[in-house]
Amino acid sequence: MPVLCVPELNEPLVEVGGSEPFRCYWEMYLSKGLLLVFVVDSADHKRLPEAKKYLHQLIGTNPVLPLVVFANKQDLEAAYHITDIHEALALSEVGNDRKMFLFGTQVTESCSEIPSIMQDARDLIAQLAADTSDQA
């Protein structure tokens, strides 16, 4: 599993893919996690019900685990608007005790500059991880 290092975090970020071969690792890593970052393809309408199913399965085991959702590919014409993603993933049902954030994102071709929304998301993730580790 790839480990991502973010200078603002004292904890490593472990990226566990969403495809079938990686799902067997979800429970192991999530049980040790400080928060869940869930990335969904905003333009892949057919797979949103599957994404919703797995998202709710993942968060169902821990009712207070903070959740950050990235609705990726917002730059594509076929992409669902962020409010449609909120509805399609039933994010209003994630629980009142859970901190939940939804960001519309897109990848830039140059990658030389991090969009401000991603900088904000990185800062938020660092703060959520710090808060959660302090509570543990």
Side-chain angles (χ1 to χ4, degrees):
M1 301 295 140
V3 176
L4 309 171
C5 294
V6 177
E8 294 83 2
L9 296 175
N10 292 328
E11 304 286 333
L13 296 174
V14 178
E15 190 269 335
V16 182
S19 60
E20 188 68 40
F22 298 106
R23 293 178 188 160
C24 61
Y25 297 105
W26 287 356
E27 187 176 329
M28 177 179 68
Y29 284 104
L30 194 58
S31 67
K32 301 172 187 173
L34 300 175
L35 66 132
L36 174 63
V37 176
F38 193 84
V39 181
V40 65
D41 183 338
S42 299
D44 193 348
H45 305 179
K46 292 180 184 176
R47 293 189 62 200
L48 283 172
E50 179 183 18
K52 173 188 169 188
K53 172 187 163 188
Y54 287 115
L55 172 62
H56 285 267
Q57 176 185 322
L58 285 166
I59 63 174
T61 60
N62 185 338
V64 296
L65 185 71
L67 172 64
V68 177
V69 177
F70 289 125
N72 200 20
K73 301 185 182 178
Q74 286 290 300
D75 55 323
L76 299 181
E77 191 174 317
Y80 274 167
H81 187 269
I82 200 82
T83 55
D84 298 321
I85 295 294
H86 189 280
E87 185 178 321
L89 296 178
L91 294 178
S92 60
E93 299 172 14
V94 299
N96 294 333
D97 295 330
R98 181 185 318 278
K99 293 178 183 175
M100 193 280 298
F101 303 89
L102 174 60
F103 290 92
T105 61
Q106 64 191 47
V107 175
T108 60
E109 286 193 30
S110 70
C111 295
S112 61
E113 183 178 321
I114 299 174
S116 63
I117 189 124
M118 293 307 294
Q119 292 174 3
D120 293 344
R122 180 190 62 197
D123 294 344
L124 173 69
I125 289 168
Q127 185 61 53
L128 288 170
D131 291 350
T132 304
S133 67
D134 289 345
Q135 296 171 5

